[in-house]
PDB file of all heavy atoms in Angstrom:
ATOM      1  N   GLY A 117     -40.655  95.086  -9.013  1.00 90.00           N
ATOM      2  CA  GLY A 117     -39.413  95.156  -9.665  1.00 90.00           C
ATOM      3  C   GLY A 117     -38.853  93.782 -10.090  1.00 90.00           C
ATOM      4  O   GLY A 117     -38.388  93.678 -11.200  1.00 90.00           O
ATOM      5  N   GLY A 118     -39.064  92.768  -9.279  1.00 92.00           N
ATOM      6  CA  GLY A 118     -38.687  91.475  -9.708  1.00 92.00           C
ATOM      7  C   GLY A 118     -39.448  90.906 -10.864  1.00 92.00           C
ATOM      8  O   GLY A 118     -38.856  90.240 -11.743  1.00 92.00           O
ATOM      9  N   PHE A 120     -40.780  92.746 -13.352  1.00 92.00           N
ATOM     10  CA  PHE A 120     -40.319  93.458 -14.527  1.00 92.00           C
ATOM     11  C   PHE A 120     -38.930  92.941 -14.997  1.00 92.00           C
ATOM     12  O   PHE A 120     -38.700  92.761 -16.201  1.00 92.00           O
ATOM     13  CB  PHE A 120     -40.218  94.941 -14.236  1.00 92.00           C
ATOM     14  CG  PHE A 120     -41.598  95.592 -14.075  1.00 92.00           C
ATOM     15  CD1 PHE A 120     -41.683  96.672 -13.184  1.00 92.00           C
ATOM     16  CD2 PHE A 120     -42.678  95.131 -14.731  1.00 92.00           C
ATOM     17  CE1 PHE A 120     -42.948  97.271 -13.021  1.00 92.00           C
ATOM     18  CE2 PHE A 120     -43.933  95.735 -14.618  1.00 92.00           C
ATOM     19  CZ  PHE A 120     -44.025  96.829 -13.689  1.00 92.00           C
ATOM     20  N   LEU A 121     -38.082  92.598 -13.938  1.00 94.00           N
ATOM     21  CA  LEU A 121     -36.835  92.069 -14.386  1.00 94.00           C
ATOM     22  C   LEU A 121     -36.845  90.750 -15.005  1.00 94.00           C
ATOM     23  O   LEU A 121     -36.176  90.542 -16.030  1.00 94.00           O
ATOM     24  CB  LEU A 121     -35.948  91.859 -13.065  1.00 94.00           C
ATOM     25  CG  LEU A 121     -34.542  91.496 -13.211  1.00 94.00           C
ATOM     26  CD1 LEU A 121     -33.744  92.568 -13.875  1.00 94.00           C
ATOM     27  CD2 LEU A 121     -33.944  91.122 -11.859  1.00 94.00           C
ATOM     28  N   LEU A 122     -37.888  89.902 -14.605  1.00 95.00           N
ATOM     29  CA  LEU A 122     -38.052  88.635 -15.200  1.00 95.00           C
ATOM     30  C   LEU A 122     -38.554  88.816 -16.595  1.00 95.00           C
ATOM     31  O   LEU A 122     -38.240  88.031 -17.571  1.00 95.00           O
ATOM     32  CB  LEU A 122     -38.853  87.650 -14.413  1.00 95.00           C
ATOM     33  CG  LEU A 122     -39.064  86.261 -14.935  1.00 95.00           C
ATOM     34  CD1 LEU A 122     -37.829  85.493 -15.121  1.00 95.00           C
ATOM     35  CD2 LEU A 122     -40.068  85.518 -14.093  1.00 95.00           C
ATOM     36  N   ILE A 123     -39.565  89.648 -16.856  1.00 95.00           N
ATOM     37  CA  ILE A 123     -40.143  89.862 -18.151  1.00 95.00           C
ATOM     38  C   ILE A 123     -39.157  90.284 -19.114  1.00 95.00           C
ATOM     39  O   ILE A 123     -39.152  89.890 -20.306  1.00 95.00           O
ATOM     40  CB  ILE A 123     -41.287  90.914 -18.050  1.00 95.00           C
ATOM     41  CG1 ILE A 123     -42.489  90.366 -17.241  1.00 95.00           C
ATOM     42  CG2 ILE A 123     -41.746  91.357 -19.439  1.00 95.00           C
ATOM     43  CD1 ILE A 123     -43.492  91.407 -16.974  1.00 95.00           C
ATOM     44  N   GLY A 124     -38.122  91.012 -18.776  1.00 94.00           N
ATOM     45  CA  GLY A 124     -37.180  91.489 -19.666  1.00 94.00           C
ATOM     46  C   GLY A 124     -35.957  90.598 -19.812  1.00 94.00           C
ATOM     47  O   GLY A 124     -35.075  90.838 -20.686  1.00 94.00           O
ATOM     48  N   ASN A 125     -35.877  89.532 -19.008  1.00 95.00           N
ATOM     49  CA  ASN A 125     -34.630  88.660 -19.037  1.00 95.00           C
ATOM     50  C   ASN A 125     -35.049  87.247 -18.814  1.00 95.00           C
ATOM     51  O   ASN A 125     -35.053  86.695 -17.798  1.00 95.00           O
ATOM     52  CB  ASN A 125     -33.665  89.172 -17.840  1.00 95.00           C
ATOM     53  CG  ASN A 125     -33.187  90.521 -18.046  1.00 95.00           C
ATOM     54  OD1 ASN A 125     -32.269  90.773 -18.805  1.00 95.00           O
ATOM     55  ND2 ASN A 125     -33.768  91.486 -17.318  1.00 95.00           N
ATOM     56  N   GLY A 131     -37.898  91.945 -25.239  1.00 88.00           N
ATOM     57  CA  GLY A 131     -37.438  93.321 -24.992  1.00 88.00           C
ATOM     58  C   GLY A 131     -38.546  94.180 -24.489  1.00 88.00           C
ATOM     59  O   GLY A 131     -38.198  95.370 -23.995  1.00 88.00           O
ATOM     60  N   LYS A 189     -33.479  96.389 -26.295  1.00 91.00           N
ATOM     61  CA  LYS A 189     -34.162  97.353 -25.516  1.00 91.00           C
ATOM     62  C   LYS A 189     -33.653  98.715 -25.751  1.00 91.00           C
ATOM     63  O   LYS A 189     -34.519  99.706 -25.757  1.00 91.00           O
ATOM     64  CB  LYS A 189     -33.937  97.015 -24.004  1.00 91.00           C
ATOM     65  CG  LYS A 189     -34.560  95.660 -23.561  1.00 91.00           C
ATOM     66  CD  LYS A 189     -33.978  95.227 -22.171  1.00 91.00           C
ATOM     67  CE  LYS A 189     -34.371  93.868 -21.878  1.00 91.00           C
ATOM     68  NZ  LYS A 189     -33.756  93.419 -20.507  1.00 91.00           N
ATOM     69  N   VAL A 248     -30.696 103.305 -18.612  1.00 92.00           N
ATOM     70  CA  VAL A 248     -30.145 102.072 -17.926  1.00 92.00           C
ATOM     71  C   VAL A 248     -31.230 101.259 -17.285  1.00 92.00           C
ATOM     72  O   VAL A 248     -31.204 100.024 -17.361  1.00 92.00           O
ATOM     73  CB  VAL A 248     -28.972 102.473 -16.937  1.00 92.00           C
ATOM     74  CG1 VAL A 248     -28.601 101.224 -16.171  1.00 92.00           C
ATOM     75  CG2 VAL A 248     -27.809 103.040 -17.663  1.00 92.00           C
ATOM     76  N   MET A 249     -32.167 101.943 -16.720  1.00 90.00           N
ATOM     77  CA  MET A 249     -33.266 101.217 -16.028  1.00 90.00           C
ATOM     78  C   MET A 249     -34.020 100.263 -17.054  1.00 90.00           C
ATOM     79  O   MET A 249     -34.301  99.135 -16.759  1.00 90.00           O
ATOM     80  CB  MET A 249     -34.274 102.236 -15.508  1.00 90.00           C
ATOM     81  CG  MET A 249     -33.913 102.912 -14.243  1.00 90.00           C
ATOM     82  SD  MET A 249     -34.058 101.799 -12.730  1.00 90.00           S
ATOM     83  CE  MET A 249     -35.895 101.582 -12.700  1.00 90.00           C
ATOM     84  N   GLN A 250     -34.148 100.763 -18.208  1.00 89.00           N
ATOM     85  CA  GLN A 250     -34.892 100.010 -19.235  1.00 89.00           C
ATOM     86  C   GLN A 250     -33.984  98.822 -19.873  1.00 89.00           C
ATOM     87  O   GLN A 250     -34.486  97.848 -20.161  1.00 89.00           O
ATOM     88  CB  GLN A 250     -35.432 100.876 -20.392  1.00 89.00           C
ATOM     89  CG  GLN A 250     -36.243 102.085 -19.833  1.00 89.00           C
ATOM     90  CD  GLN A 250     -37.183 101.717 -18.766  1.00 89.00           C
ATOM     91  OE1 GLN A 250     -37.858 100.659 -18.749  1.00 89.00           O
ATOM     92  NE2 GLN A 250     -37.173 102.660 -17.772  1.00 89.00           N
ATOM     93  N   LEU A 251     -32.692  99.142 -19.881  1.00 91.00           N
ATOM     94  CA  LEU A 251     -31.764  98.063 -20.335  1.00 91.00           C
ATOM     95  C   LEU A 251     -31.819  96.908 -19.366  1.00 91.00           C
ATOM     96  O   LEU A 251     -31.721  95.724 -19.751  1.00 91.00           O
ATOM     97  CB  LEU A 251     -30.307  98.553 -20.385  1.00 91.00           C
ATOM     98  CG  LEU A 251     -30.009  99.555 -21.492  1.00 91.00           C
ATOM     99  CD1 LEU A 251     -28.452  99.807 -21.464  1.00 91.00           C
ATOM    100  CD2 LEU A 251     -30.309  99.007 -22.833  1.00 91.00           C
ATOM    101  N   VAL A 252     -31.987  97.201 -18.058  1.00 92.00           N
ATOM    102  CA  VAL A 252     -31.956  96.176 -17.087  1.00 92.00           C
ATOM    103  C   VAL A 252     -33.323  95.486 -17.029  1.00 92.00           C
ATOM    104  O   VAL A 252     -33.427  94.233 -16.934  1.00 92.00           O
ATOM    105  CB  VAL A 252     -31.667  96.686 -15.682  1.00 92.00           C
ATOM    106  CG1 VAL A 252     -31.791  95.673 -14.636  1.00 92.00           C
ATOM    107  CG2 VAL A 252     -30.251  97.298 -15.621  1.00 92.00           C
ATOM    108  N   LEU A 253     -34.410  96.237 -17.053  1.00 91.00           N
ATOM    109  CA  LEU A 253     -35.801  95.667 -16.962  1.00 91.00           C
ATOM    110  C   LEU A 253     -36.337  95.312 -18.413  1.00 91.00           C
ATOM    111  O   LEU A 253     -35.746  94.528 -19.090  1.00 91.00           O
ATOM    112  CB  LEU A 253     -36.664  96.644 -16.273  1.00 91.00           C
ATOM    113  CG  LEU A 253     -36.199  97.042 -14.888  1.00 91.00           C
ATOM    114  CD1 LEU A 253     -37.156  98.057 -14.198  1.00 91.00           C
ATOM    115  CD2 LEU A 253     -36.096  95.809 -13.906  1.00 91.00           C
ATOM    116  N   HIS A 254     -37.304  96.050 -18.889  1.00 88.00           N
ATOM    117  CA  HIS A 254     -37.761  95.877 -20.260  1.00 88.00           C
ATOM    118  C   HIS A 254     -38.150  97.265 -20.817  1.00 88.00           C
ATOM    119  O   HIS A 254     -38.461  98.164 -20.059  1.00 88.00           O
ATOM    120  CB  HIS A 254     -38.921  94.895 -20.288  1.00 88.00           C
ATOM    121  CG  HIS A 254     -40.175  95.352 -19.587  1.00 88.00           C
ATOM    122  ND1 HIS A 254     -41.108  96.123 -20.176  1.00 88.00           N
ATOM    123  CD2 HIS A 254     -40.618  95.092 -18.374  1.00 88.00           C
ATOM    124  CE1 HIS A 254     -42.077  96.362 -19.337  1.00 88.00           C
ATOM    125  NE2 HIS A 254     -41.812  95.676 -18.222  1.00 88.00           N
ATOM    126  N   ALA A 255     -38.166  97.419 -22.101  1.00 86.00           N
ATOM    127  CA  ALA A 255     -38.362  98.722 -22.661  1.00 86.00           C
ATOM    128  C   ALA A 255     -39.755  98.872 -23.294  1.00 86.00           C
ATOM    129  O   ALA A 255     -40.377  97.874 -23.839  1.00 86.00           O
ATOM    130  CB  ALA A 255     -37.327  99.012 -23.771  1.00 86.00           C
TER     131      ALA A 255
END
Side-chain angles (χ1 to χ4, degrees):
F120 291 146
L121 185 65
L122 180 61
I123 290 172
N125 298 278
K189 295 169 192 175
V248 171
M249 283 284 293
Q250 308 322 313
L251 289 187
V252 175
L253 303 176
H254 63 87

